[in-house]
């Protein structure tokens, strides 16, 4: 029950899933992707900000705004950095961070916001238990104590620690 309408349901036969036009466009999920594949995909969007690239479901599937902010923080990558400036080692760390953030979210039932509830009426508690930057603007970074800020990247609200995620880092 998500009033933001970020999803849809389409009923098709199991054997037809892989042939569905929408499904064919989707990238692999973080657990299915190698670091090398991920790095190559980032280079195809070398001039775009890394945050907008990892939100693109044809690059990596499953990362939304919350988990993109959290994975970038965990990787110490500023969201405005050009995807082409991300080294193979950084891409590997970002992919590992995406996996970790998403697994924590799955284990905690997701990220309940506003009116969202699961089918059984419960709410996920990822934001309360694990969020390091998302929706924490004005609060101290849990790693360095600097104040978390909110900026815009590619039109999306983006939460960062300006000390841990330096913009001028290349």
């Amino acid at each position: 029950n998500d009033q933001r309408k970020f999803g849809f349901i389409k009923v098709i036969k199991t054997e037809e899933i892989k042939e569905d036009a929408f499904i064919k466009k989707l990238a692999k999920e973080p657990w299915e992707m190698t670091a090398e594949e991920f790095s190559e995909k980032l280079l195809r969007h070398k001039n775009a900000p890394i945050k907008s690239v990892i939100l693109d479901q044809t690059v990596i599937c499953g990362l939304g705004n919350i988990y993109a902010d959290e994975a970038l923080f965990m990787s110490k990558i500023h969201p405005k950095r050009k995807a082409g400036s991300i080294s193979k080692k950084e891409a590997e760390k970002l992919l590992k961070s995406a996996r970790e953030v998403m697994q924590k979210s799955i284990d905690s039932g997701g990220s309940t916001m506003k009116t969202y509830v699961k089918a059984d009426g419960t709410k996920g508690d990822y934001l309360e238990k694990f969020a390091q930057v998302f929706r924490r603007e004005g609060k101290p970074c849990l790693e360095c104590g600097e104040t978390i800020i909110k900026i815009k990247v590619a039109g999306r609200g983006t939460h960062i620690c300006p000390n841990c995620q330096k913009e001028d880092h290349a």
Side-chain angles (χ1 to χ4, degrees):
N1 180 16
D2 189 338
Q3 299 198 5
R4 296 168 297 163
K5 300 180 182 169
F6 282 158
F8 64 91
I9 295 175
K10 182 176 183 181
V11 179
I12 56 177
K13 294 180 180 178
T14 303
E15 59 272 11
E16 296 173 8
I17 292 173
K18 290 184 179 181
E19 298 307 314
D20 183 76
F22 177 79
I23 298 295
K24 280 183 166 183
K25 292 178 191 174
L26 295 176
K28 293 178 181 177
E29 291 185 358
W31 297 278
E32 301 168 330
M33 188 177 286
T34 67
E36 186 155 323
E37 286 175 305
F38 183 54
S39 185
E40 288 173 9
K41 284 187 172 262
L42 296 183
L43 290 175
R44 292 182 198 154
H45 305 273
K46 63 183 178 186
N47 293 318
I50 187 64
K51 175 154 183 198
S52 63
V53 174
I54 65 172
L55 286 173
D56 181 341
Q57 302 299 297
T58 66
V59 172
I60 186 167
C61 197
L63 288 178
N65 203 42
I66 296 169
Y67 308 125
D69 283 3
E70 294 292 317
L72 287 165
F73 171 76
M74 190 180 285
S75 303
K76 306 299 181 235
I77 297 172
H78 195 284
K80 286 186 178 178
R81 274 187 60 196
K82 301 290 185 207
S85 77
I86 306 297
S87 70
K88 286 184 179 184
K89 186 174 182 179
E90 288 174 310
E92 184 174 3
K93 187 174 183 181
L94 180 55
L95 182 60
K96 183 180 177 192
S97 296
R99 290 173 181 155
E100 187 174 328
V101 164
M102 289 178 70
Q103 190 61 57
K104 282 181 181 178
S105 181
I106 290 166
D107 292 345
S108 66
S111 304
T112 295
M113 294 172 53
K114 297 183 183 175
T115 59
Y116 177 83
V117 292
K118 295 185 284 182
D120 66 1
T122 62
K123 297 180 176 189
D125 57 8
Y126 174 86
L127 290 176
E128 293 80 21
K129 286 185 177 177
F130 302 111
Q132 300 291 298
V133 290
F134 192 83
R135 291 258 170 100
R136 294 196 67 247
E137 62 268 21
K139 295 179 181 172
C141 174
L142 299 173
E143 289 200 18
C144 75
E146 183 75 27
T147 302
I148 301 295
I149 62 171
K150 184 176 180 181
I151 61 174
K152 286 267 189 196
V153 178
R156 301 296 303 265
T158 302
H159 305 79
I160 66 163
C161 171
N163 182 54
C164 293
Q165 297 169 274
K166 298 204 184 303
E167 189 169 2
D168 59 355
H169 184 277

